[in-house]
């Protein structure tokens, strides 16, 4: 019996360092990694589903790059190739923004010849030299309010490519998490949080995944550090909304709701900046998908733009104090209060 007890003690003592090492590794993993975010994972799943459905690549990032709608990035993981060794690099890519603004170089009210519609404009005289008729008036031009704008490159892409961000993708079985190199509470939120919000408009991974997931991690554990940073987040939010990209707008609105709910007085601090945030929401407020009596199986993703805008406005009014409704009503006249009985 004593021999058996001695052997058990030896076995216990021999495995103790191994168990201690596993416990320390598990604790470090729990502290250094983030919890999976459904918002960031949904974007990755949607991209994979889009590649399966559109096998011709018409909805992929490569097609968007050739149209100049998203940043090109670098030629390889080591940077760009020398011009003398790769003279044809990006030769087939449209200059950023030219595809969109090709018809906006000349003012729509400037008089001139118009093919197929005679000459002049809506407000010009349609009489030529000698009293001869100049033709029919051209139709009014399209406003293009819902047309997508090119997505400008973000600071997050630059900082991540240089290795200045204290994070990496967690290569674990669970997936959808970030391996933070430092404790989130010790980060300088004035420096990092605007960078992560700026990167939320990216359309390529790992930039988009790290930026979106990093924003949720910092908002979850920011606490009292979030309120002083609110003014620095307005320009990244406004830049992302002005792209008119429905996917980017949905991502920003979800992050905006989380920001408002992450601390006290944050909703009231956003009220003075409604003039920068709400104009785009006014444009897409009625942008719903009318499917009749069918079932929208993708509603769990929260990507219905019209419903998401209505939900965001209600969150802003609920947490924005007594001046929130009048300011929302000023920018979005069709909005009705959710707090009035």
């Amino acid at each position: 019996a004593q021999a058996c007890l001695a052997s058990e003690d030896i076995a216990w003592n021999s495995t103790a360092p191994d168990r201690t090492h596993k416990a320390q590794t598990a604790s470090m993993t729990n502290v250094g990694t983030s919890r999976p975010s459904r918002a960031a994972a949904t974007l990755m799943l949607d991209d994979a589903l889009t590649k399966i459905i559109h096998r011709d690549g018409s909805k992929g990032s490569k097609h968007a790059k050739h149209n100049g709608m998203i940043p090109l990035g670098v030629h390889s993981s080591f940077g760009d190739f020398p011009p003398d060794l790769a003279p044809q690099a990006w030769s087939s890519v449209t200059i950023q923004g030219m595809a969109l603004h090709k018809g906006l170089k000349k003012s729509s009210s400037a008089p001139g010849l118009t093919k197929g519609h005679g000459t002049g404009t809506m407000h010009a005289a349609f009489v030529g030299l000698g009293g001869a008729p100049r033709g029919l008036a051209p139709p009014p031009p399209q406003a293009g309010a819902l047309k997508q704008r090119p997505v400008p490159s973000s600071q997050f892409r630059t900082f991540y490519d240089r290795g200045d961000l204290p994070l990496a993708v967690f290569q674990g079985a669970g997936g959808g998490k970030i391996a933070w190199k430092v404790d989130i509470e010790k980060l300088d939120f004035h420096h990092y949080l605007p960078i992560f919000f700026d990167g939320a408009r990216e359309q390529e991974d790992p930039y988009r995944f790290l930026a979106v997931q990093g924003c949720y991690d910092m908002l979850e554990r920011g606490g009292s550090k979030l309120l002083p940073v609110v003014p620095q987040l307005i320009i990244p939010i406004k830049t992302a909304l002005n792209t008119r990209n429905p996917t980017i707008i949905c991502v920003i609105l979800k992050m905006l709701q989380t920001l408002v709910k992450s601390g006290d007085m944050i909703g009231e601090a956003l009220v003075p900046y409604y003039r920068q945030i709400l104009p785009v929401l006014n444009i897409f407020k009625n942008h719903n998908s009318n499917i009749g009596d069918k079932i929208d199986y993708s509603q769990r993703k929260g990507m219905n733009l019209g419903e998401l805008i209505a939900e965001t406005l209600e969150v802003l009014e609920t947490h924005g104090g007594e001046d929130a409704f009048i300011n929302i009503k000023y920018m979005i006249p069709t909005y009705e209060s959710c707090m009035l009985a």
Side-chain angles (χ1 to χ4, degrees):
Q2 293 180 355
C4 293
L5 292 175
S7 62
E8 291 179 359
D9 292 340
I10 294 174
W12 176 266
N13 293 331
S14 61
T15 57
D18 184 42
R19 286 183 285 101
T20 304
H21 175 71
K22 290 182 179 179
Q24 292 177 353
T25 304
S27 63
M28 292 176 60
T29 304
N30 292 333
V31 172
T33 59
S34 62
R35 294 192 302 177
S37 172
R38 194 177 71 173
T42 300
L43 295 174
M44 299 177 65
L45 293 176
D46 284 344
D47 283 350
L49 182 61
T50 301
K51 291 180 181 179
I52 296 175
I53 297 176
H54 303 278
R55 295 182 177 272
D56 57 349
S58 59
K59 300 293 184 179
S61 59
K62 183 180 295 186
H63 185 266
K65 286 184 179 181
H66 279 275
N67 290 336
M69 298 304 294
I70 63 175
L72 298 178
V74 294
H75 297 161
S76 67
S77 58
F78 302 100
D80 291 339
F81 298 114
D84 54 338
L85 299 180
Q88 302 298 326
W90 304 124
S91 59
S92 61
V93 176
T94 306
I95 300 177
Q96 184 129 355
M98 291 299 294
L100 175 69
H101 300 290
K102 187 177 297 183
L104 300 179
K105 293 181 179 180
K106 187 176 182 180
S107 174
S108 59
S109 61
L113 298 177
T114 305
K115 294 182 179 180
H117 299 285
T119 59
T121 61
M122 294 177 59
H123 305 290
F126 297 98
V127 178
L129 297 177
R134 296 174 59 188
L136 301 176
Q142 294 183 355
L146 301 179
K147 186 176 293 185
Q148 297 184 18
R149 272 63 170 170
V151 180
S153 181
S154 64
Q155 294 182 352
F156 184 89
R157 178 187 290 260
T158 304
F159 278 83
Y160 181 76
D161 290 339
R162 293 191 314 197
D164 294 341
L165 300 178
L167 51 78
V169 178
F170 177 72
Q171 305 295 343
K177 294 190 292 186
I178 292 179
W180 290 92
K181 300 178 182 178
V182 296
D183 195 3
I184 298 179
E185 284 83 357
K186 297 180 181 179
L187 291 175
D188 183 7
F189 276 63
H190 282 276
H191 175 69
Y192 285 107
L193 191 57
I195 294 176
F196 278 83
F197 264 82
D198 194 51
R201 67 172 181 264
E202 291 285 350
Q203 294 292 285
E204 285 187 287
D205 293 323
Y207 306 109
R208 181 181 60 181
F209 166 74
L210 290 174
V212 174
Q213 179 65 43
C215 284
Y216 282 104
D217 292 346
M218 297 182 71
L219 293 178
E220 180 183 0
R221 305 174 63 179
S224 60
K225 296 183 179 180
L226 298 176
L227 182 58
V229 194
V230 169
Q232 303 180 35
L233 305 178
I234 303 304
I235 293 180
I237 293 176
K238 179 182 177 182
T239 304
L241 294 177
N242 284 336
T243 59
R244 306 293 206 278
N245 189 316
T247 304
I248 297 178
I249 296 177
C250 290
V251 172
I252 294 299
L253 292 182
K254 293 178 183 178
M255 293 169 51
L256 188 60
Q257 293 182 22
T258 307
L259 172 66
V260 173
K261 299 176 182 179
S262 297
D264 298 332
M265 304 296 294
I266 296 180
E268 298 182 10
L270 286 172
V271 174
Y273 304 102
Y274 281 174
R275 294 196 177 191
Q276 284 76 31
I277 300 176
L278 299 186
V280 177
L281 305 189
N282 187 30
I283 298 175
F284 290 93
K285 185 175 182 295
N286 297 322
H287 196 75
N288 292 306
S289 56
N290 186 4
I291 59 176
D293 58 349
K294 297 180 182 179
I295 299 176
D296 183 12
Y297 291 98
S298 64
Q299 58 184 333
R300 60 179 178 83
K301 301 178 183 178
M303 301 300 287
N304 191 324
L305 190 54
E307 294 181 359
L308 193 58
I309 289 176
E311 181 182 350
T312 304
L313 294 177
E314 293 178 359
V315 172
L316 292 177
E317 182 188 1
T318 305
H319 296 79
E322 58 182 6
D323 296 331
F325 172 69
I326 189 63
N327 285 274
I328 295 176
K329 190 73 173 178
Y330 181 79
M331 299 304 301
I332 305 179
T334 57
Y335 176 73
E336 298 295 337
S337 177
C338 64
M339 299 181 65
L340 297 178

